[in-house]
């Protein structure tokens, strides 16, 4: 059984896989597939290994033959529990890190309405409460909600030099959202090249300062936005939020495949709305299905980081712009527990005085 941290890529397994792949060549006397660039990348997370081939260096027939040769070899290596071999998307290039920001983590859901943005905001607040320097980029270009969830209004301003955008701060979190750049009643119509040009600016033209972690709230589903984010910056990983029902789980699987293709590891799953407690009798009903995230975790080998019930106080706090994670106990406790898991998995070091 693999004992590596399931929240992080496993460099030891990746090195072993690459060393094994260096023994494969598609032509007699030719370079091995790694040296020739035919293997684009290897990502290992929690015993699951994905080998991405580069279509630019392989024809379709050779891709299939090479995949058939790679699969049994990789699966025979110690620590490998599951292997996938497939071509990378042609549009993906190597990404750069953001200066001063130690980790960039995206939060994603397969479908809308599962509480992804609410969870992202409360996770950010909990991390800030625990003494980490935290930023939040609301990259949901179709429905930016971070300003409402954090009780922030008005327009974003530029820095004193006028060359960058100043993030707003609430509950110890530095936040930027398209909701602060547009009038509240104006719809944003971003497609294709506009997304490719606009989203990188939200990373590079905002004066984030020194951050331990920048959380990126993505729109639900799979779209140009997700690819643009993956192209704009090196992501430490993605947290996937789902409700327990099968429809949500099916959409989550598609999202997981997309990020795996982009060589972005999934740090784990969070099951939201996992039951509703009756205020009168205390009975917990599974209004949104049951057990889907656990089944998906067992299928993929990904950790199930948290199972959160629907909590009315969370909804009220979201509407009022007062995240419940400002409290370390009570309703805020599950978010602080999740924050602790993420911080430990990424090996974050506290850089701020802990808020009490």
């Amino acid at each position: 059984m693999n004992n590596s941290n399931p929240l992080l890529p496993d460099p030891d397994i990746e090195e072993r896989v690459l060393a094994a792949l260096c023994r494969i060549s598609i032509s007699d006397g030719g370079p091995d597939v790694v040296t020739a660039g035919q293997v684009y990348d290897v990502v290992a997370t929690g015993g699951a290994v994905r080998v991405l081939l580069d279509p630019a260096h392989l024809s379709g027939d050779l891709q299939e033959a090479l995949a058939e040769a790679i699969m049994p070899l990789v699966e025979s290596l110690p620590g490998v529990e599951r292997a996938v071999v497939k071509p990378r998307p042609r549009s993906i290039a190597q990404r750069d890190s953001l200066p001063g920001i130690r980790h960039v983590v995206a939060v994603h859901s397969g479908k809308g309405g599962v509480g992804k943005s609410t969870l992202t905001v409360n996770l950010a607040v909990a991390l800030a409460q625990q003494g980490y320097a935290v930023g939040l980029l609301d990259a949901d270009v179709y429905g930016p909600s971070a300003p409402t969830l954090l009780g922030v209004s008005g327009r974003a301003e530029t820095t004193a030099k006028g060359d960058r955008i100043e993030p707003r701060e609430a509950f110890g979190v530095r936040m930027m959202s398209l909701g602060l750049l547009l009038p509240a009643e104006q719809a944003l119509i971003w497609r294709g090249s506009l997304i490719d040009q606009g989203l990188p600016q939200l990373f590079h033209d905002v004066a984030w300062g020194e951050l331990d972690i920048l959380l990126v709230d993505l729109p639900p589903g799979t779209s140009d936005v997700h690819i643009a984010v993956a192209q704009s910056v090196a992501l430490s990983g993605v947290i996937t939020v789902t409700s327990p029902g099968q429809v949500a789980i099916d959409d989550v699987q598609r999202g997981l495949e997309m990020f795996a293709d982009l060589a972005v590891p999934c740090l784990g799953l969070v099951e939201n709305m996992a039951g509703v407690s009756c205020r009168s009798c205390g009975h917990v009903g599974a209004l949104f299905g049951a057990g889907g995230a656990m089944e998906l975790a067992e299928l993929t080998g990904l950790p199930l980081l948290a199972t959160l019930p629907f909590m009315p106080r969370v909804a009220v706090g979201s509407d009022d712009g007062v995240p419940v994670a400002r409290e370390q106990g009570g309703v805020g406790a599950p978010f602080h527990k999740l924050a602790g898991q993420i911080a430990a998995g990424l090996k974050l070091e506290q850089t701020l005085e802990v808020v009490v």
Side-chain angles (χ1 to χ4, degrees):
M1 186 72 176
N2 178 39
N3 294 318
S4 64
N5 188 337
L7 294 183
L8 289 174
D10 190 322
D12 291 335
I13 292 182
E14 291 172 356
E15 289 178 8
R16 289 201 297 271
V17 171
L18 285 170
L21 295 179
C22 286
R23 303 198 297 266
I24 299 177
S25 174
I26 61 173
S27 60
D28 293 337
D32 64 80
V33 294
V34 177
T35 302
Q38 291 149 351
V39 170
Y40 175 76
D41 203 358
V42 172
V43 179
T45 308
V49 174
R50 181 166 294 255
V51 179
L52 299 180
L53 306 180
D54 195 336
H57 296 87
L58 287 164
S59 65
D61 292 343
L62 287 177
Q63 288 178 38
E64 185 176 346
L66 183 55
E68 291 179 356
I70 287 175
M71 280 287 290
L73 175 62
V74 173
E75 290 179 337
S76 69
L77 298 176
V80 177
E81 298 174 8
R82 184 171 62 93
V84 176
V85 182
K86 65 190 304 183
R88 71 164 177 88
R90 293 180 183 271
S91 60
I92 298 304
Q94 296 293 339
R95 287 80 73 182
D96 296 324
S97 299
L98 291 175
I101 299 179
R102 294 168 182 80
H103 291 282
V104 181
V105 174
V107 184
H108 169 258
S109 65
K111 62 188 286 93
V114 300
K116 166 188 57 64
S117 296
T118 299
L119 183 136
T120 305
V121 165
N122 278 283
L123 176 58
V125 171
L127 286 164
Q129 290 270 323
Q130 293 178 18
Y132 302 105
V134 182
L136 171 60
L137 173 56
D138 182 2
D140 190 343
V141 302
Y142 309 120
S145 57
T148 299
L149 295 169
L150 286 168
V152 174
S153 59
R155 299 288 299 278
E157 304 290 341
T158 59
T159 58
K161 293 183 178 180
D163 59 343
R164 303 182 80 188
I165 303 171
E166 191 72 55
R168 302 291 295 276
E169 184 163 335
F171 303 99
V173 177
R174 301 172 206 168
M175 183 269 292
M176 179 48 56
S177 168
L178 286 170
L180 300 176
L181 301 176
L182 297 171
E185 69 278 2
Q186 181 175 335
L188 178 68
I189 304 175
W190 268 13
R191 296 291 188 273
S193 61
L194 286 177
I195 290 176
D196 293 339
Q197 297 168 20
L199 273 177
Q201 291 182 309
L202 295 178
F203 286 103
H204 300 286
D205 292 350
V206 174
W208 293 111
E210 297 282 331
L211 294 178
D212 296 308
I213 185 169
L214 174 64
L215 295 176
V216 183
D217 183 21
L218 294 171
T222 56
S223 70
D224 289 346
V225 175
H226 305 81
I227 295 176
V229 167
Q231 288 178 317
S232 299
V233 62
L235 295 171
S236 296
V238 60
I239 300 169
T240 297
V241 184
T242 184
S243 57
Q246 191 60 50
V247 173
I249 294 297
D250 289 344
D251 288 343
V252 161
Q253 287 182 288
R254 286 186 279 271
L256 290 174
E257 283 296 312
M258 175 193 66
F259 281 110
D261 287 346
L262 303 179
V264 176
C266 180
L267 303 183
L269 307 172
V270 175
E271 186 176 71
N272 205 17
M273 302 181 180
V276 179
S277 177
C278 175
R279 295 182 180 180
S280 300
C281 67
H283 174 72
V284 178
L287 296 184
F288 306 102
M294 178 58 73
E295 292 178 7
L296 184 59
E298 293 174 351
L299 176 67
T300 61
L302 295 170
L304 179 56
L305 301 175
T307 299
L308 306 175
F310 176 81
M311 296 177 281
R313 274 196 59 199
V314 175
V316 172
S318 298
D319 289 342
D320 292 343
V322 184
V324 296
R326 75 192 190 283
E327 303 174 8
Q328 297 197 21
V331 181
F335 298 103
H336 280 269
K337 182 178 180 181
L338 175 61
Q341 289 178 279
I342 298 300
L346 294 175
K347 295 182 171 60
L348 298 183
E349 296 182 4
Q350 293 173 332
T351 57
L352 302 175
E353 182 179 351
V354 177
V355 180
V356 295

